[in-house]
Amino acid sequence: MKELYSYQIEFHQPLTTNQILKLHKLIGSNNLQMYLHQRQSIADAGHFPKLLSFFLLMDLDQPVILIIDGENVETVFAEVEDSWKDRVEQTRCRKRYTESMMSDQTSIVV
């Protein structure tokens, strides 16, 4: 079932290049799309150069919004969260939408 979740993540340390690469590979091996947003920056995590640039320019004083669209989102997020646990101060789920809650004409807030 298709789902759309958004999470607010507060980092206390930048991610390592290996952690960023693992995130990128995770997207490629699952049927989902992932985006990161902070201030005026947004990155499609499926494009490694954009993803790497996002984390290089990330402000640790501001939370990052992670948006995941696809199947088995909670399972994928648990894997992401586990690989980042030594770098993250706090994580919280902001919004959750299931396929039955969304349609082509629905406007949603992430």
Side-chain angles (χ1 to χ4, degrees), residues 34-37 41-47 50-54:
M34 188 179 296
Y35 302 92
L36 295 121
H37 176 265
S41 298
I42 190 161
D44 179 348
H47 293 90
K50 293 179 183 181
L51 182 63
L52 187 59
S53 295
F54 180 88

Side-chain angles (χ1 to χ4, degrees), residues 3 38 44 62 91 99:
E3 304 167 317
Q38 185 184 59
D44 179 348
Q62 296 292 318
T91 301
E99 193 170 26

